[in-house]
Each structure stands twice: as C-alpha cells, then as structure tokens.
Amino acid sequence: MKNRLSERLIDRLQGYSFIILFLLATSLLHGLNQQYNYHSDWTKQQQNSLSEASIQLVTQLHEPLEFTVFMHTNKPLRQQISGLLKRYQRHSEQIKITFINPDLHPKMVRQYNVRLNGETLIQYQGRSKTIQRIDEQSISNAIGQLIQQQQQWLLFLTGHGERKPFSDASHDLSTLTQRLQQQGIRIQQLNLAQTLSIPDNTQTLVIASPQSDLLQGEINIIRQYINRGGNLLWLTEPGADAHLYEIEQQLGIYRLPGMAVDANSLLLDIGDPSFVYITDYPGHPLNQSLSAGSLLPQPVALQDRSEPQWQTRVLLQTSKRSWTESGPISDTIHFDSDTAEQAGPLDLGWSMQREIQHQGQSRQQRIIIIGDGDFASNAYIGNGSNLEFASNIIHWLNHNDSLIDIPIRKQHNIQLNLGRNVQYIIAFGFLFILPLSLFITGIIIRTRRNRR
C-alpha cells in the first residue's frame, strides 16, 4: 500500500514538474521571441519572402518610410496586407506600418483621394504615393520612385514613322509605356522639326525604328545630345536607318548586312529561322533577373567598332548555329561561306557607357543599341521575358539599377486535388480509425494503471 502511495506521489511530482518546466520553457521562448526575430521560408518558390532586388531597395532607406493602410474592418485582408508589409519591415528599421479606418479620417481620405478599401499611402522624405494594388512589385516600384530625387522623362523621337509610345497598334509600344508609367517614368513624344532641341531634363531619348529619313539638322541635334552626355536607346532594323549612318559612326557601331537567322528556331517549333530566340544571356546587370528567353523577330546583327573611351558590353547574342542571311528567308536557307554572310554567334544588342564631363560635372553616360524593335512591340512583348527585358533597358539607361530586377511574383498552383477514393480513405481514417485508436489506447493505459 505504501509503495502504491509513494508511486502516486512520484507520478504527481513528475506531473507538476513537467507543468512547471513547460511554463518556464514557454516563458523563455516568449522572451527570446520578443528580443530576436527569426524568419524562415520553406516554400518551394520562396513565396513568403522578398526578392533580392526588393531587399536591396529597402536597404537604401536613410530616413523613415511609412505605410498607411486605409482599411475598414476586414481581418483576412488586413492580415494579408500586414504580412506582406512586415516582409519589408524585417529588412529595415526605418519602415513603419499604420492601419487606419477611413471613416474616422475623412480629411486624409480627401487629401490623398483614397477610393478603395486597402489602398495604401507610402511616404518618404516629404514625398508620397498611393497604391491600390498591394503586391511586391507595386510596393517596391513605389518605394523606388520615392527614393528617386527627380522626375524622369523618357522622350520618344517622332515625325519619321517611328513606333508610337501611346498607340495600341501591334507594331507600336503602348504595353511597354504603360508598364513604365506605372513605375513612375514620364513619357512624351518629341518632334525635332518643331522643337529644334532636346530638353535638358531628358533622362533618355528613344529612337524606335524610324521609317523615313531624318533631316540633317535633326541628326545634328541628336549628335550634340550624345556629345553632351545624353542617354540613348536606339532600336534599329535590317535594311533601315541608313540615313542615321553619322550617328552609327559616332557611336562606333556597325550594322552587318542582311538579317540574323538561327537554325535553332526550327528545332524550337518557332517555324521561322528569322525569329531568333535568345536563351543564354551574356553577363550584364540587365539580364540577371530574366528567367525566360527573349524573342527577337527578324533582327539585324551588330559589330562593335567603338572608341576606347566607351565601355561596351554584349546584351544579346545568338547561338553558334546562326548567321547573317542576305537572301530571301525560307525553310531551306543555309549559311554560304562564299558570300559576305557571317557565321554566329552574332551580337544583337550592345550597351555602352562612359564617364563624361559636362558643365563642370562628371556623369556616366549610357547608351543601348538593339538590332530589333519588334521585341518591344505590342505584338511580341508578351513572349518570354521580352517585357521584363525592355523595361530593364529603360531602368538601366535611367540609372534606376535598383528597379531592374524586381520580379513579378507568379502565383503557383497550391491546390491539392485528391481523388474520390483517397477522400474516402482520409474521411474513414479521421472519423473511425483515429477515434478508435485513441479509445483503445486510453483503455490500455487505464488497465495498466489499475494493475499497479
């Protein structure tokens, strides 16, 4: 009898000790949680973490950045937005998050023209921006715009049949310009025959495949713009832009005769060897974030003849099974070594930069020449990484390196679809087998205790 009493006393002491130790361990973990913050994302595509580009952007904050979320009572949506914003907060102590009820702050609602539940105001260094779409790309782009010290103007040359930035025609560029406008870049068309100059606040000038000759005076204006350090994007085409030879010579870029073709296009079921698909990108900051290939329809190959003052790097390069085709395009074309045709790999895009002194100040001038304009057109910009590549070009030219590789987070399929038989097995297990197992286990434990 005494042995049973002592065993029961020991069992109770063990139970009380376990409870005390459990409470101590819980308190210790709570204290560590308050002092240290550890986050681990085990999802396959890192869906619960920021991209490296967004993290780099946040680390540039030198003053407080405040998120003000206008939201009515909506716990699921609030948790979703709060979770996303806290990902930014983990990487910077400068970030503050505030949720306010718009019904209680009508003055702020009118001041910032808030219209939607969940609309978020971002403030930094006296500048502010509101966003309605709450995802990583929208938030990071807004932060990047607020970090910028000045407005950036992108000017498209017009008046010679160039691709239009605001037209929805298949050969024009409205899809790209809409994306750039969402990222805070201001876009305007420029007719040199009317303005006779390129404004000093131009961040980048775009020459997008002109179809007719420029006047000599217009060419001189562009050359002067380049000489004083202006950034330039030139989209050229096979057999076009012969009237821009002076600019071509000034930059030291030579366009090879004919059209670049690639035999790999037939193997990839593209069906047209003049549609070159780039899958292996040369090392360049523009290309680091590209996860898919880029399609360039009927490009022209480029050859570098630039002066030593320029730092020239390859942006796009074809495979070894490519060449410059000077004859008509068909399914039976082949490389003819007895002609002026050149074998691949061929360069389809170049970036150029140099340090230049202008008005007593040193600045880095950036220029990009792409041997194709169709890749950025409305008809083809949805292929592969064409849109990301085109927007990266503009950001690099505008010196917005932090915005180059902010990715579009794609929602992967996370649904688990079970067959009917599997559903029956799981239901039977939870409704019958599991309760029965627990019941039998309880009886066994009770029987053993009664035998003591």
Side-chain angles (χ1 to χ4, degrees):
M1 186 70 179
K2 290 183 178 180
N3 291 335
R4 289 186 177 180
L5 289 174
S6 61
E7 288 178 357
R8 290 179 181 177
L9 182 60
I10 292 172
D11 288 342
R12 288 181 180 179
L13 290 174
Q14 288 177 343
Y16 292 147
S17 299
F18 173 79
I19 293 173
I20 293 172
L21 291 174
F22 177 77
L23 293 175
L24 288 174
T26 303
S27 301
L28 180 61
L29 289 174
H30 177 71
L32 292 173
N33 182 56
Q34 295 297 319
Q35 187 172 1
Y36 302 101
N37 185 11
Y38 176 75
H39 172 78
S40 179
D41 186 0
W42 290 6
T43 57
K44 182 178 180 180
Q45 302 293 335
Q46 298 292 296
Q47 291 295 310
N48 297 318
S49 301
L50 294 181
S51 65
E52 288 297 325
S54 295
I55 294 173
Q56 278 187 345
L57 192 65
V58 170
T59 56
Q60 297 179 29
L61 299 174
H62 303 297
E63 296 184 19
L65 182 142
E66 185 171 354
F67 291 98
T68 303
V69 185
F70 296 87
M71 175 168 290
H72 299 282
T73 303
N74 188 329
K75 289 185 178 180
L77 181 59
R78 175 167 179 159
Q79 291 176 351
Q80 180 182 354
I81 295 177
S82 177
L84 177 57
L85 296 181
K86 284 181 178 179
R87 297 178 196 172
Y88 289 84
Q89 201 173 41
R90 293 189 193 106
H91 299 282
S92 175
E93 296 180 353
Q94 300 284 4
I95 292 180
K96 299 179 181 179
I97 303 172
T98 305
F99 284 82
I100 66 173
N101 189 331
D103 295 334
L104 303 178
H105 297 81
K107 186 176 179 180
M108 288 187 67
V109 171
R110 291 192 298 270
Q111 179 181 356
Y112 296 105
N113 194 27
V114 176
R115 297 185 298 273
L116 299 178
N117 187 40
E119 194 163 342
T120 301
L121 169 68
I122 309 176
Q123 296 173 298
Y124 181 71
Q125 291 184 338
R127 298 185 293 275
S128 64
K129 183 174 180 61
T130 56
I131 57 174
Q132 297 177 347
R133 182 176 178 177
I134 312 300
D135 55 24
E136 179 182 347
Q137 188 183 38
S138 301
I139 294 172
S140 295
N141 284 330
I143 294 174
Q145 294 168 32
L146 293 175
I147 291 176
Q148 295 171 9
Q149 297 297 321
Q150 59 183 4
Q151 293 180 343
Q152 297 185 332
W153 286 94
L154 184 69
L155 266 59
F156 282 78
L157 188 66
T158 187
H160 318 89
E162 295 90 348
R163 300 179 188 273
K164 299 176 181 178
F166 303 114
S167 170
D168 294 331
S170 60
H171 59 276
D172 288 325
L173 309 171
S174 61
T175 303
L176 172 61
T177 53
Q178 288 172 10
R179 170 77 171 270
L180 296 174
Q181 286 176 323
Q182 293 171 358
Q183 296 170 337
I185 297 176
R186 300 201 171 193
I187 297 172
Q188 190 171 340
Q189 299 183 85
L190 174 68
N191 190 326
L192 289 178
Q194 296 176 354
T195 61
L196 303 178
S197 65
I198 299 176
D200 292 335
N201 63 347
T202 302
Q203 191 72 18
T204 298
L205 175 67
V206 180
I207 303 177
S209 311
Q211 300 300 304
S212 60
D213 293 354
L214 275 70
L215 299 174
Q216 185 60 46
E218 295 175 307
I219 294 176
N220 292 338
I221 293 172
I222 296 174
R223 294 188 63 187
Q224 293 170 7
Y225 169 79
I226 295 173
N227 285 334
R228 68 173 186 260
N231 300 327
L232 173 68
L233 171 60
W234 183 7
L235 305 178
T236 184
E237 309 283 347
D241 299 346
H243 50 283
L244 295 179
Y245 174 75
E246 293 182 37
I247 297 176
E248 183 179 308
Q249 192 175 35
Q250 180 183 10
L251 297 177
I253 293 293
Y254 174 66
R255 299 180 310 119
L256 297 176
M259 182 186 302
V261 296
D262 195 335
N264 286 342
S265 298
L266 298 177
L267 299 177
L268 295 172
D269 291 332
I270 296 177
D272 189 340
S274 66
F275 280 53
V276 179
Y277 194 66
I278 305 294
T279 56
D280 188 14
Y281 296 97
H284 194 284
L286 286 182
N287 304 328
Q288 292 178 1
S289 64
L290 304 181
S291 58
S294 296
L295 182 67
L296 281 78
Q298 301 180 343
V300 61
L302 307 173
Q303 192 174 74
D304 175 34
R305 294 181 179 177
S306 59
E307 299 294 332
Q309 60 179 324
W310 290 100
Q311 180 186 351
T312 307
R313 298 176 64 179
V314 181
L315 276 179
L316 298 170
Q317 192 173 66
T318 63
S319 69
K320 294 180 180 180
R321 302 189 64 204
S322 62
W323 67 92
T324 57
E325 178 61 45
S326 56
I329 304 299
S330 65
D331 293 337
T332 58
I333 60 173
H334 62 276
F335 173 63
D336 191 350
S337 59
D338 296 331
T339 65
E341 295 180 353
Q342 294 194 25
L346 303 170
D347 299 337
L348 303 183
W350 284 93
S351 73
M352 305 170 60
Q353 60 186 41
R354 65 175 177 175
E355 297 295 329
I356 188 170
Q357 294 287 334
H358 179 63
Q359 295 181 348
Q361 295 182 347
S362 177
R363 57 163 297 178
Q364 187 182 78
Q365 181 182 16
R366 295 182 174 184
I367 292 176
I368 284 181
I369 301 97
I370 304 293
D372 177 54
D374 288 312
F375 85 96
S377 67
N378 298 327
Y380 297 104
I381 201 165
N383 289 276
S385 292
N386 282 22
L387 178 57
E388 286 72 22
F389 178 65
S391 60
N392 283 357
I393 287 175
I394 301 300
H395 289 313
W396 186 82
L397 290 169
N398 286 355
H399 298 267
N400 295 335
D401 294 2
S402 59
L403 297 180
I404 284 178
D405 53 2
I406 295 174
I408 301 176
R409 289 284 188 178
K410 297 180 180 179
Q411 184 66 39
H412 296 271
N413 185 10
I414 58 176
Q415 293 184 348
L416 179 63
N417 297 318
L418 301 176
R420 187 174 296 274
N421 292 335
V422 176
Q423 294 179 25
Y424 287 151
I425 293 172
I426 294 175
F428 183 78
F430 275 97
L431 293 176
F432 297 101
I433 296 178
L434 182 60
L436 182 62
S437 300
L438 294 174
F439 179 74
I440 294 174
T441 302
I443 293 178
I444 294 173
I445 293 173
R446 173 100 181 190
T447 304
R448 287 183 177 177
R449 286 182 176 178
N450 291 335
R451 289 177 179 176
R452 291 179 180 178

